[in-house]
Amino acid sequence: MAGDIKRRDVLKASAAFAAAAAAGGFSCLEVASAAPIEVPTIDKLSVRVLVDSASDIFFKPQEVSGVRTEPGRSADGKRPLHSEWGLSLLLEPQRGDDKRTLLLDYGWTPEAINGNMELLRVDASKIDTLILSHGHFDHWGGMLGFLDKHRDAMPADLTMYCGGEDNFCHRFNRAGATGELSDFGVLDRREIMARRIKLVLAETPVVIAGQAFTTGKIKRSGIERVLPNTMVEFAMKDGAGCNASHYLRAEMEGKIVPDEHIHEHATCFNLKDKGLVVISSCGHVGIVNSVRQAQEVSGIQKIHAIMGGFHLGPAPADYLTQVVAEIGKLNPDVLIPMHCSGLNFTQEAQKQMPGKVLTTTTGSRITFGA
Ligand SMILES: [Fe+2]
Ligand SMILES: [Fe+2]
């Protein structure tokens, strides 16, 4: 598989893709340049969990290494926050007097993200930048419904940063013992651009809103492997789907293959005097790989926090033990597992790194450096 990915790298040509995109009419789509980035330093960061899979009305404030969590409760006593499988995070970094509001992922359904934003009193008009972590429906299923409700209130000039072309591939789940495929959706980029949003394919690292940065494509350098999940079809059909020539040999076009998540990227911050905050929304390519990529592209080694979905819920026990040990070698101050990380991960991390794990639920607010 490593060889396949290398070959994809060789075949990947941003210029060629840009031409293909132009030919396909993707006029608002840009490919991020491969120029090195200079990572900004922020003073504070607040993260609000808009959608995750659990609610807990008994959740108590916690603190680890100066990172604080507090519960988020519905402003309407008769309407609860809605929890569902999937993830959506509101990121509010601050650098000097400059405050920004970024939305990372959109949960599975528009009802959850829209309802929870209302109940948590989140002002959508303040959201100035959009990010998508990867092309799984539990991270973008709520996107178009969110945009339909809030787009007019948001800034006219709005950009969405996606990791790469295979965000837009058609994906399938393997169902039951027979392995029969069930539809897991295709994100049609025309639907996003029709809502007046500029799409940037950030296959290389980019600085976002002068405060955040993304890792670009994540190298697979350690012991981690993509655990079996979705299947993916590298093809364009009726204008939707992904351009196979961007990654693969032409003869692969149309085949449905196991998902390697070539396009997945992590969203990161450099917090003043603390180090990196790395947010992995699903972590299919490995949470350690994601953190190492953040270190490499930023040149900053100190890891303050690792947060998000680590996709270790389905991990075999011995593999989980090894990955947690590898995370320990990165020596983060705090771990904040969410979404697909798994209860098994939280328990193993608490065992190997006692006192470093913070848990959250839907509605939680996490503050760094404040
Ligand atoms: Fe995922
Ligand atoms: Fe996910």
Side-chain angles (χ1 to χ4, degrees), residues 40-93:
T41 301
I42 60 166
D43 298 307
K44 298 178 191 172
L45 173 65
S46 163
V47 177
R48 175 73 81 178
V49 183
L50 297 180
V51 180
D52 200 350
S53 31
S55 301
D56 181 357
I57 60 168
F58 303 123
F59 191 87
K60 298 267 190 316
Q62 308 165 53
E63 181 168 345
V64 169
S65 294
V67 181
R68 295 194 307 278
T69 58
E70 56 185 300
R73 299 218 163 84
S74 170
D76 181 342
K78 291 182 180 168
R79 285 177 58 202
L81 297 176
H82 187 100
S83 290
E84 65 181 14
W85 188 260
L87 192 64
S88 175
L89 300 175
L90 188 77
L91 313 175
E92 297 173 283

Side-chain angles (χ1 to χ4, degrees), residues 110-191:
E111 290 77 16
I113 184 172
N114 287 340
N116 289 354
M117 283 178 64
E118 185 185 334
L119 297 172
L120 293 165
R121 300 273 190 260
V122 174
D123 182 356
S125 70
K126 292 210 163 64
I127 296 172
D128 53 59
T129 309
L130 305 172
I131 307 170
L132 178 63
S133 64
H134 70 302
H136 268 166
F137 197 79
D138 55 322
H139 295 254
W140 64 260
M143 179 198 293
L144 299 180
F146 158 79
L147 291 172
D148 286 341
K149 182 167 182 189
H150 296 291
R151 179 64 188 96
D152 287 345
M154 294 162 74
D157 181 13
L158 194 58
T159 297
M160 180 183 292
Y161 294 87
C162 299
E165 172 66 11
D166 54 318
N167 273 292
F168 307 109
C169 295
H170 196 170
R171 288 187 156 79
F172 302 87
N173 278 315
R174 285 173 279 205
T178 57
E180 202 177 305
L181 298 181
S182 65
D183 189 359
F184 200 40
V186 55
L187 179 56
D188 186 339
R189 71 194 92 197
R190 295 170 301 184
E191 296 270 20

